[in-house]
Each structure stands twice: as structure tokens, then as C-alpha cells.
């Protein structure tokens, strides 16, 4: 036990020196020698940031995992076109209402049951019945039925044309599971270890620690864009959950892990210089953005929303904290990697404090209190901004939000940041107009069809809980619906762009930064790549060299 | 000499070298405490910058004459944030100590003075609480209540109370079974008077030193919770929150974690030193 201040001081000094020493020894891989020999088998030690509740589900963190064990009908190629995976080919009828998929032959789920059109049709109904919340909201309003014509032929009937169906099916929310497993196993079993046709199977899940995935030696259904044919090269993946970015990076540098997800921006340059392979994928879909509550509180007034947007120097903020790794995003509708992106919408608001003040004056927020916050009829311009801390917004995002809070203060906004723990956030905390004024978050997608999910009206007979601005506008919805069903790609993109500009014009949402999927990989592990639909790691092709 | 004169007010306690605080140590501790109290009362006098003001052009600057403790990822001046964070950190530490000792006094007194069954039950409660490590118990409470300054105070207060409750129980029992209480009983003093004049004062006196020690310890526990993201809301410069915010940058900007860490250690050492000095003075007075 420490007894004297001198001893305590010496321990403290030792602690500081140890910290300095630790931070100084930021080592790293130098890379394999030329002509390094390929090694078959082995275990990939992979450090991932977040642990979802189930392997399969409607969150991108689940998609990353389920990609390893489940296959989809289609896969997205580098150029953004869907290529065969479990479906060898597909076509849509002239009216766009009937899609026919021809499945690969001889594919088996890892429980031994065959991949049939009937099993796939069952999966469609399973998603729509609540089996996957994200697949459900994508197909809702379009899907009518799925039928097996024969073992290999599946017909999907739609109520309205949806020309980008095959593109959307590349996301792991639409991964195919064994019908037998879904029907006979418990929900918990299917949650922890879903049965698919994928390159790996779930061996065990130690909650809070890791998931062990082992190779499916009978794998036959790799996608057309895989880098090799046949089962995975490695025997096992130890998918560890390491929430702290510094710890993940240190583990990679210390050779404790072979790859990590979500490279902290501050570590990017150092890892690059040290010879690690870095990959960055700007997720298409909704960027990290701020949606304003349009039915309760000060942001009901469009002038106040615009004033908030003008009060922020978002670009400098993101560039500084993101270290040039995290891209600034001005567009609140979709990110810059999304087809149909509107630069005009992205450029709608830049920092202009005079304009912000003028708009607030017009809105009647003319007085200021002793702390410099605007007031109106004795009420402070107080706005709440809850965010999913650690789950939806990572540490860098939290710093950016603190910057937003401070910048908005200059115009007289008093922003209250409320970090919400993951469990509370996903349980629906701060989801009503009374509970929040600004909603922060993203939603990944492969097309601008995400606008339909985020901006479809929330009506009593057709609720939409994903309309974060609580904005019911038939004009905007009709524009998005027209885009969704437009077969001509250019015309579709033009309609989606128009919808983004509408969102910007009314300051319903403003962008902050683009969400990234990033990887840092040891130079001794080759052919790890990011799949093109969501940017998750693909380990099926990976192999070690020595 | 009368029997009354033989009843000591306080039992003699052994004095040992371990409680002796070197004068320079006490001086340094008092100086540190003075600085922290000044930062608590008038942070605007000590701070050199607005603790919340962004200076994006000067993000992640190492300590310098312009920024004594350097700047964080948004260019905020770390020294000024540490100064302004003193209020949150100290108030949380003092609040948690108050909660802890209040609970401890109630539980400890009941465990020592109540009847067999009530005392037995309270003792079991203390033992069950004692079985949980302090941080685990605090974590559990914050998870249930939700993160905030209040929950930090409450959780740390409850988390640290079982140890103090047990200590207070021991003190009361020791006083209750002492010779001077026996003597007072023999002299026909009432139970209430014995409690008021002998048992309670003798049991409480050592707590004066414990309070000083406990404040420092509570700040460390509260900072631990904030470090885990279970403290006050951002962008509060509470010291644990500063540590938490700095850890992402530890390899490139170690001052963001090392300096708040050192500040926490400094306050804990100062509080401990002063506590020990008080304890030593009390013991000396008893001689």
C-alpha cells in the first residue's frame, strides 16, 4: 500500500514515463520480402469496433458479419453493377413488375438442405414479416409475393416497378438463410449462428469478446466478383470486438491482429507509412447528417433551420477533425458516393454568420440572454441533439458534434448534446418529436432509393418511423416514388437529385461527413478487400504470406 | 483522583511513522489544493482561454507558451479546460464523499447499535455490497440510472459506502466496548448520554481524516466512470471526460491524456497528504 506522497509521486512519474514509452514505441510491420511464400490455412485475427445483437439483421454492423456466413442473390461489382452470386441470371418483365431469378445448381446450406427457389421465396416473406427490419423497409410498398416456379427459378412479383431491385439485393440485409433452419431452430439459434451457404460458419460467439468463424470446406457459391474460386484460403477468422480505436491500432502494430476495421483518422498516415495496407470505402446512402424536427420546437420555422445551417463551418470542422481522411459532406440527402448525388444540394449552405443572424431576427429570435443565447418571448433558443454514442457516432463524430455545438453558439443556438448508449438508442430513446430537435445519423445503401426510406411520409395508415425530420410532404414523396420506378438510369438520377435539392432548399437535413468503412491490414495478409455494396471486409479470398 | 477523572474522552491510539507527513509534502499539498480551490471558485481568473472555444487552425498543438497544456483535436486550450473542469471534478468528488459517508454512517451505526436481528440484517447487506468491487457497483448503478453528473455522484457514493460503513461499525463497536464506556456505565450515565458523549464522538473523529482521503479517491472513481463514457455530457471538461476524449489521440498527442491524468493524481495525492496530516494531528492531540 502506498504510504507517502513521495512514493505516490514516484509511481505517478513512472506512470507518465511508461505512457511516454508506450506512445513512443509505435512500431509496425515493414512488410514481407519480395517473393514471399504463400501460406495455406491459418487464422485471421480481426479487430472490429462494434458488436451487434445478432449476426443477421438490419444494421450495417450485422451486414459485415453476415456477409461472411450468408450469400445473397446478387453481388455488387466495382463499377456499381450487380453480378451473379446465388442467382446466375435474372430479368425483369417489360412492365417491371415481375422479376425472374435463376439460381445456381448444386448449392447447399451448411445444414445440408439444398438451395431452392422455394427456400429463397421463404426468405423474402421472412424479411417482410419482420425477419430483417431494413430489408422490410426497402421492399415495403413494392413487394407483393415470391414464388418458386421450379427448384431453380424464382419469380418475385412487385406492385410497382423497381428497376434497381437487383442492386439492392446485394446488401447483406437480403442474405439468404436455410428455410429449414428458420423453420425448425429457435430465434436465438438463428440469431447467434444463422445457417447460410457462405464461405464461413459461426463456430462460437463469446459475447463481449469475439466470434469465431470457421471455413465452410464445401463452399461452392462464391460471387462472380470473387478473387478466387473455391472455399476460403484461411481456416478460421477470430472476429474480435475491440471498441477502442487506439487499442485496435496498437494491436495491429504489435502483430496481435492481422486486420482492423474503422481506422482512426489520426492513425491513418502513421499506419500507411509503416507499411500497412489501408482501404477506405465511402459508404453510399445517407451520410452522417443532421435532420431537423419539423413539427415541434424552433426548427418548425424554416428560417431557423437555415440559420442553423449557415451558422456552421462544417467543412473546416470535418477537415480538421477528420485529418483529411473523413470526407466533408454538405448534402443531407445522400453521400457523394451514391449514384444520383446532387452537388447543388451539397453546396446549398456554407458558413455565413450574418445570414444566420438575419434569418434568426426574421424568425423573431431577436433578443439574447446573458450567455449570448437567443431568446424569443422569454424562451431560450434551446435545441437538443441526442446521438447514438459509440454505435452510430464514433469518437471522431462526437468531436465533430461538439464543434457543431460551439459553432452554432455564435449565432445564439444553445445546443444540448446527449450521448445515448447503444442499448437505449436501439430501444427507441429520443425518437419522438417531443424528445429531440435534431437527429444525427446515417443509413447506408447502394442507391439513392434510401431517400424513400428516410423521407416517405409518416401517415397513420402507413407509418414511417425512419422519417427523422417528421416531415410529411406529398411533393417530396412523389418525386422519390417517381425516381424509384424510373427505368432510365439518367432520368432516375435526375429525379433523385431533384429530391435532394428539395431537401436542401427547405433545410430539412444538412450533411456533416461521409460515413466510412475503413480497413488496415497487415502486409502479411493478402487479398482482403472491401465488398462494393457496404464496404465490409471480404475474407474469403484472403491468404497469408511469410 | 476520582473515577470520573479516569474516564478518557478518547482512547489512546498508537502513533506511527507512516502517518507523519513531511513539511514540504504538506506545503506542496496545500499549494495544490489552494490552486484547485481557486479553480473551483474562480476559474475565469486562472484560465487563459475560453475552455470551449474552437481554434481549428491550432488543433493538436503540443504544450507551448501559448497553450501551456497544448490543444485538443478542435484546438481547444487544454489548460483552460483542466481549470474549468476542476469545478465538475471536485464537486463530484465532494458530493460522492458526502453521499458515501451519509450512507456509511447510517448503515454503520445501525449495524453496531441496533438489536441482534436488525444489526445482523444490515451487516449482511453491507457484506453483500462489499462483495462487489467499487467500480463494478458504480458501473451497475450508472447503467441503471443513466450517465450524468448526478449519477456519477450517486454511483460513486454508493459504491464506496460499504467500506466506510464497515469502518464506522468497527469504530462504534470499539468505543462501545471500551473501558471508558464501561466506566461511564458503572457511574450510572444514561445510554443516550454515553452514546452522545463517548461512543459517537470517538467513532466519528477518525472520519475527519477519512473525508479528505475519500474526496481524492472519489474523484479517481468518478473520473474512471467518465473515462468509460459514463459521466457528464460533452463537451464538459470534467477530468475523466478529458482523459476519455484524449485516448484516441494518445499516440500522436499524448499530452491530452497524460496531463489530465497527472492532474487527477496530483489532486488525489494532495487530498491524501492533507488527510494523513489531519489524522496524525488528531492522534497527536490524543496523546
Amino acid at each position: 500500500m502506498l504510504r507517502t506522497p513521495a512514493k505516490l509521486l514516484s509511481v505517478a512519474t513512472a506512470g507518465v514515463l511508461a505512457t511516454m514509452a508506450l506512445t513512443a514505441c509505435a512500431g509496425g510491420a515493414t512488410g514481407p520480402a519480395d517473393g514471399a511464400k504463400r501460406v495455406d490455412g491459418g487464422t485471421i485475427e480481426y479487430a472490429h469496433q462494434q458488436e451487434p445483437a445478432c449476426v443477421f439483421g438490419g444494421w450495417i454492423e450485422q451486414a459485415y458479419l453476415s456477409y461472411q456466413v450468408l450469400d445473397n442473390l446478387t453481388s455488387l461489382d466495382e463499377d456499381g453493377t450487380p453480378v451473379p452470386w446465388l442467382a446466375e441470371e435474372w430479368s425483369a418483365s417489360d412492365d417491371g413488375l415481375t422479376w425472374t431469378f435463376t439460381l445456381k445448381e448444386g448449392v447447399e446450406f451448411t445444414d445440408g438442405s439444398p438451395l431452392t427457389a422455394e427456400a429463397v421465396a421463404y426468405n423474402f416473406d421472412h424479411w417482410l414479416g419482420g425477419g430483417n427490419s431494413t430489408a422490410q423497409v426497402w421492399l415495403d410498398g413494392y413487394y407483393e409475393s415470391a414464388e418458386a416456379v421450379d427448384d431453380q427459378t424464382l419469380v418475385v412479383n412487385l406492385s410497382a416497378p423497381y428497376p434497381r431491385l437487383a442492386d439492392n439485393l446485394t446488401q447483406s440485409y437480403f442474405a439468404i438463410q436455410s428455410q429449414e433452419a428458420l423453420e425448425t431452430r429457435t430465434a436465438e439459434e438463428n440469431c447467434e449462428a444463422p445457417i447460410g451457404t457462405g464461405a464461413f460458419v459461426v463456430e462460437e460467439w463469446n459475447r463481449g469478446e469475439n466470434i469465431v468463424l470457421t471455413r465452410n470446406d464445401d463452399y461452392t457459391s462464391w460471387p462472380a466478383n470473387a478473387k478466387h474460386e473455391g472455399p476460403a484460403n484461411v481456416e478460421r477468422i477470430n472476429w474480435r470486438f475491440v471498441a477502442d480505436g487506439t487499442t485496435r491500432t496498437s494491436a495491429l502494430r504489435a502483430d496481435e491482429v492481422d486486420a482492423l476495421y474503422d481506422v482512426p483518422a489520426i492513425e491513418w498516415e502513421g499506419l500507411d507509412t509503416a507499411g500497412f495496407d489501408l482501404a477506405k470505402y465511402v459508404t453510399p446512402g445517407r451520410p452522417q447528417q443532421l435532420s431537423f424536427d419539423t413539427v415541434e420546437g424552433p426548427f418548425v420555422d424554416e428560417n431557423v433551420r437555415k440559420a442553423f445551417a449557415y451558422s456552421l463551418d462544417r467543412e473546416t470542422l470535418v477537415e480538421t477533425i477528420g485529418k483529411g481522411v473523413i470526407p466533408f459532406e454538405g448534402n443531407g440527402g445522400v453521400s457523394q458516393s451514391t449514384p444520383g448525388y446532387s452537388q447543388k444540394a451539397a453546396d446549398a449552405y456554407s458558413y455565413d454568420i450574418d445570414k444566420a443572424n438575419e434569418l434568426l431576427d426574421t424568425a423573431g429570435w431577436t433578443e439574447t440572454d446573458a450567455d449570448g443565447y437567443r431568446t424569443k418571448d422569454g424562451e431560450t433558443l434551446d435545441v437538443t441533439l441526442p446521438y447514438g454514442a459509440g454505435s452510430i457516432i464514433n469518437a471522431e463524430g462526437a468531436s465533430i458534434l461538439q464543434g457543431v455545438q460551439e459553432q452554432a453558439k455564435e449565432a445564439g443556438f444553445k445546443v444540448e448534446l446527449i450521448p445515448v448508449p447503444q442499448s437505449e438508442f436501439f430501444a427507441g430513446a429520443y425518437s419522438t418529436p417531443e424528445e429531440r430537435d435534431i437527429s444525427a445519423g446515417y443509413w447506408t445503401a447502394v442507391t439513392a432509393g434510401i431517400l424513400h426510406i428516410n423521407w416517405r411520409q409518416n401517415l397513420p395508415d402507413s407509418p414511417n418511423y425512419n422519417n427523422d425530420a417528421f416531415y410529411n410532404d406529398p411533393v417530396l414523396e412523389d418525386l422519390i416514388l417517381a425516381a424509384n420506378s424510373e427505368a432510365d438510369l439518367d432520368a432516375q438520377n435526375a429525379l433523385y437529385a431533384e429530391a435532394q435539392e428539395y431537401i436542401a432548399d427547405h433545410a430539412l437535413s444538412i450533411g456533416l461527413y461521409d460515413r466510412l468503412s475503413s480497413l488496415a491490414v497487415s502486409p502479411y495478409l493478402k487479398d482482403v478487400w472491401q465488398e462494393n455494396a457496404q464496404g465490409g471486409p471480404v475474407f474469403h479470398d484472403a491468404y497469408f504470406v511469410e | 483522583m476520582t473515577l470520573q477523572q479516569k474516564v478518557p474522552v478518547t482512547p489512546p491510539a498508537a502513533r506511527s511513522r507512516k502517518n507523519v507527513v513531511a513539511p514540504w509534502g504538506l506545503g506542496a499539498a496545500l499549494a495544490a489544493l489552494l490552486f484547485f480551490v481557486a479553480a473551483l471558485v474562480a476559474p475565469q481568473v486562472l484560465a487563459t482561454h475560453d475552455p470551449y472555444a474552437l481554434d481549428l487552425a491550432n488543433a493538436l498543438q503540443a504544450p507551448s507558451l501559448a497553450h501551456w497544456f497544448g490543444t485538443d483535436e478542435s484546438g481547444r486550450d487544454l489548460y483552460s479546460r483542466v481549470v474549468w473542469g476542476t469545478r465538475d471534478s471536485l464537486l463530484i468528488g465532494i458530493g460522492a464523499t458526502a453521499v458515501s459517508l451519509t450512507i456509511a454512517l447510517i448503515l454503520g451505526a445501525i449495524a453496531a447499535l441496533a438489536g441482534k436481528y436488525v444489526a445482523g440484517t444490515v451487516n449482511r447487506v453491507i457484506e453483500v455490497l462489499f462483495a462487489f468491487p467499487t467500480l463494478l457497483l458504480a458501473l451497475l448503478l450508472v447503467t441503471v440510472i443513466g450517465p450524468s453528473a448526478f449519477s456519477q455522484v450517486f454511483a460513486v457514493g454508493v459504491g464506496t459506502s460499504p467500506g466506510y460503513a464497515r469502518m464506522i461499525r468497527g469504530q462504534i463497536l470499539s468505543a462501545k466496548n471500551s473501558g471508558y464506556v464501561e466506566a461511564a456505565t458503572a457511574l450510572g450515565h444514561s445510554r443516550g448520554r454515553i452514546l452522545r458523549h463517548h461512543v459517537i464522538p470517538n467513532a466519528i473523529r477518525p472520519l475527519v481524516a477519512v473525508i479528505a482521503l475519500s474526496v481524492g479517491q472519489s474523484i479517481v472513481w468518478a473520473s474512471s466512470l467518465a473515462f468509460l463514457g459514463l459521466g457528464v455530457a460533452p463537451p464538459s471538461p470534467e477530468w475523466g471526460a478529458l482523459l476519455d476524449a484524449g485516448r484516441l489521440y494518445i499516440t500522436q498527442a499524448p499530452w491530452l491524456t497524460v496531463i489530465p491524468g497527472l492532474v487527477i493524481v496530483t489532486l488525489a495525492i494532495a487530498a491524501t497528504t492533507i488527510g494523513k496530516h489531519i489524522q496524525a494531528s488528531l492522534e497527536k492531540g490524543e496523546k
Side-chain angles (χ1 to χ4, degrees):
Chain A
M1 194 171 169
L2 299 167
R3 296 295 186 197
T4 66
K7 281 183 184 171
L8 283 168
L9 196 62
S10 61
V11 169
T13 310
V16 173
L17 292 173
T19 309
M20 294 295 199
L22 279 171
T23 54
C25 65
T30 49
D34 287 343
K37 204 171 73 179
R38 177 178 171 141
V39 181
D40 286 328
T43 298
I44 296 175
E45 298 288 338
Y46 169 65
H48 195 83
Q49 185 198 7
Q50 298 190 61
E51 181 175 22
C54 293
V55 169
F56 178 74
W59 186 23
I60 191 166
E61 297 296 333
Q62 295 170 302
Y64 293 150
L65 261 171
S66 52
Y67 186 92
Q68 316 303 325
V69 293
L70 310 174
D71 294 337
N72 288 38
L73 288 178
T74 54
S75 175
L76 205 67
D77 212 356
E78 275 179 43
D79 63 0
T81 56
V83 295
W85 196 351
L86 287 177
E88 273 184 336
E89 54 186 42
W90 55 90
S91 62
S93 60
D94 290 342
D95 61 4
L97 298 178
T98 307
W99 285 71
T100 305
F101 294 87
T102 306
L103 305 182
K104 272 183 192 163
E105 286 189 43
V107 177
E108 279 190 356
F109 291 100
T110 51
D111 62 358
S113 62
L115 173 79
T116 61
E118 188 190 340
V120 178
Y122 183 88
N123 273 266
F124 271 82
D125 289 332
H126 174 68
W127 305 328
L128 268 292
N132 190 299
S133 55
T134 298
Q136 185 180 24
V137 291
W138 271 107
L139 295 176
D140 225 8
Y142 290 94
Y143 175 79
E144 272 201 339
S145 64
E147 300 158 22
V149 175
D150 56 45
D151 273 358
Q152 308 308 130
T153 312
L154 171 81
V155 167
V156 177
N157 299 305
L158 303 181
S159 57
Y162 200 88
R164 307 296 291 277
L165 178 65
D167 304 58
N168 277 318
L169 295 179
T170 60
Q171 302 173 91
S172 286
Y173 313 124
F174 301 93
I176 306 299
Q177 296 181 65
S178 156
Q179 179 180 357
E180 194 176 310
L182 288 173
E183 285 179 329
T184 60
R185 300 201 313 164
T186 64
E188 193 182 338
E189 285 172 323
N190 287 319
C191 161
E192 295 213 340
I195 302 294
T197 56
F200 296 90
V201 295
V202 178
E203 183 181 307
E204 63 173 328
W205 186 340
N206 303 301
R207 295 270 177 186
E209 193 178 331
N210 68 335
I211 293 184
V212 179
L213 305 170
T214 49
R215 181 171 63 196
N216 172 11
D217 289 327
D218 301 321
Y219 189 47
T220 57
S221 50
W222 48 89
N225 54 354
K227 289 182 188 291
H228 87 288
E229 298 187 346
N233 295 314
V234 296
E235 288 166 348
R236 191 172 273 112
I237 304 168
N238 184 11
W239 188 291
R240 299 193 210 168
F241 300 107
V242 184
D244 181 63
T246 307
T247 310
R248 286 198 304 279
T249 311
S250 301
L252 182 67
R253 286 183 185 278
D255 205 24
E256 283 177 22
V257 299
D258 304 302
L260 68 84
Y261 171 81
D262 197 19
V263 184
I266 189 83
E267 301 284 359
W268 191 273
E269 197 182 329
L271 288 172
D272 195 22
T273 308
F276 292 97
D277 295 324
L278 297 171
K280 182 169 84 171
Y281 175 90
V282 178
T283 1
R286 179 179 240 192
Q288 290 285 17
Q289 51 75 59
L290 304 176
S291 290
F292 299 104
D293 180 351
T294 58
V295 297
E296 287 260 347
F299 291 126
V300 173
D301 187 333
E302 189 172 311
N303 283 325
V304 180
R305 301 199 294 267
K306 287 181 174 171
F308 192 88
Y310 281 121
S311 74
L312 307 177
D313 182 1
R314 292 169 287 161
E315 187 163 8
T316 310
L317 190 60
V318 171
E319 285 300 319
T320 304
I321 293 169
K323 299 278 161 210
V325 176
I326 301 171
F328 162 64
E329 181 56 75
N331 191 333
V334 298
S335 76
Q336 56 193 274
S337 58
T338 315
Y341 176 77
S342 166
Q343 190 61 48
K344 188 180 166 194
D347 295 338
Y349 303 96
S350 52
Y351 175 67
D352 189 337
I353 193 67
D354 293 335
K355 210 177 253 185
N357 285 327
E358 197 180 305
L359 285 161
L360 286 174
D361 287 341
T362 308
W365 296 92
T366 48
E367 306 293 322
T368 51
D369 66 14
D371 296 320
Y373 297 117
R374 295 234 175 198
T375 61
K376 182 179 172 180
D377 303 329
E379 272 193 42
T380 307
L381 186 49
D382 207 336
V383 295
T384 52
L385 199 173
Y387 60 93
S391 53
I392 304 300
I393 303 287
N394 64 9
E396 289 146 338
S399 290
I400 290 170
L401 288 183
Q402 288 179 37
V404 165
Q405 179 188 45
E406 191 60 21
Q407 288 183 339
K409 190 177 168 185
E410 193 187 352
F413 286 95
K414 187 179 184 183
V415 181
E416 186 192 354
L417 294 177
I418 307 171
V420 187
Q422 180 176 323
S423 54
E424 216 180 310
F425 190 82
F426 288 131
Y430 299 100
S431 57
T432 66
E434 297 77 24
E435 291 174 311
R436 68 169 190 230
D437 296 301
I438 305 175
S439 163
Y442 67 88
W443 195 315
T444 67
V446 293
T447 70
I450 190 66
L451 292 168
H452 181 237
I453 291 176
N454 296 147
W455 296 100
R456 183 172 67 75
Q457 293 183 85
N458 183 12
L459 302 171
D461 59 337
S462 166
N464 179 11
Y465 304 113
N466 305 304
N467 184 335
D468 291 334
F470 312 106
Y471 186 72
N472 284 350
D473 186 342
V475 176
L476 179 59
E477 182 172 312
D478 287 347
L479 199 53
I480 296 167
L481 287 174
N484 277 355
S485 292
E486 175 57 58
D488 179 80
L489 198 59
D490 291 335
Q492 184 185 57
N493 285 341
L495 286 166
Y496 280 138
E498 205 178 320
Q500 293 159 53
E501 285 148 24
Y502 190 95
I503 291 164
D505 286 346
H506 294 279
L508 304 171
S509 159
I510 54 169
L512 269 184
Y513 61 95
D514 284 326
R515 185 192 175 282
L516 295 177
S517 288
S518 58
L519 293 176
V521 183
S522 160
Y524 294 89
L525 180 62
K526 299 295 182 189
D527 277 2
V528 176
W529 55 286
Q530 291 184 287
E531 59 92 16
N532 301 299
Q534 294 170 293
V538 179
F539 291 123
H540 163 241
D541 298 305
Y543 61 92
F544 287 100
V545 292
E546 60 176 16
Chain B
M1 186 180 280
T2 65
L3 187 58
Q4 182 72 43
Q5 284 171 313
K6 282 185 180 176
V7 179
V9 176
T10 308
R15 188 174 174 214
S16 66
R17 280 178 57 80
K18 70 182 179 186
N19 285 333
V20 176
V21 176
W24 70 266
L26 182 64
L30 286 170
L33 197 68
L34 188 69
F35 176 84
F36 290 125
V37 170
L40 171 87
V41 178
Q44 67 280 4
V45 175
L46 294 177
T48 54
H49 295 72
D50 178 341
Y52 301 104
L54 307 180
D55 183 3
L56 297 173
N58 283 306
L60 296 178
Q61 295 293 307
S64 65
L65 282 177
H67 299 285
W68 300 345
F69 289 178
T71 63
D72 68 8
E73 74 280 7
S74 305
R76 292 176 295 198
D77 181 68
L78 184 61
Y79 166 72
S80 302
R81 287 179 68 70
V82 166
V83 167
W84 279 89
T86 307
R87 185 173 288 173
D88 276 351
S89 303
L90 264 184
L91 290 181
I92 288 170
I94 292 167
T97 301
V99 169
S100 174
L101 291 181
T102 305
I103 295 171
L105 263 175
I106 295 167
L107 291 180
I110 295 172
L113 300 172
K116 188 179 168 188
Y117 295 109
V118 175
T121 307
V122 172
N123 268 321
R124 294 298 87 74
V125 169
I126 293 172
E127 279 161 16
V128 168
L129 288 174
F130 207 62
F132 288 93
T134 302
L135 189 59
L136 188 65
L137 191 57
L139 276 172
L140 181 74
L141 290 167
V142 173
T143 309
V144 173
I145 311 166
S148 69
F150 169 78
S151 60
Q152 263 178 298
V153 167
F154 183 72
V156 173
V158 173
T160 53
S161 62
Y164 296 129
R166 191 178 257 195
M167 194 182 83
I168 289 166
R169 174 180 171 270
Q171 290 287 346
I172 293 175
L173 283 178
S174 160
K176 203 172 110 180
N177 298 325
S178 64
Y180 56 89
V181 168
E182 269 182 40
T185 309
L187 284 172
H189 292 176
S190 70
R191 186 179 160 84
R193 185 177 168 186
I194 292 170
L195 275 177
R196 278 198 312 277
H197 289 262
H198 300 292
V199 177
I200 300 291
N202 281 304
I204 296 294
R205 196 164 291 128
L207 286 183
V208 178
V210 169
I211 288 169
L213 297 170
S214 178
V215 169
Q217 195 184 37
S218 294
I219 288 172
V220 173
W221 287 124
S223 298
S224 307
L225 289 177
F227 178 73
L228 296 171
L230 298 171
V232 291
S236 164
E238 192 268 336
W239 298 340
L242 290 180
L243 268 179
D244 180 34
R247 65 178 164 164
L248 190 65
Y249 303 93
I250 195 166
T251 56
Q252 312 291 328
W255 57 89
L256 291 177
T257 36
V258 170
I259 291 176
L262 275 179
V263 170
I264 295 168
V265 169
T266 304
L267 179 62
I269 292 174
T272 306
T273 305
I274 292 163
K276 283 183 176 294
H277 179 75
I278 294 170
Q279 202 170 19
S281 300
L282 286 173
E283 287 171 2
K284 195 177 173 184
E286 287 157 9
K287 277 275 185 183

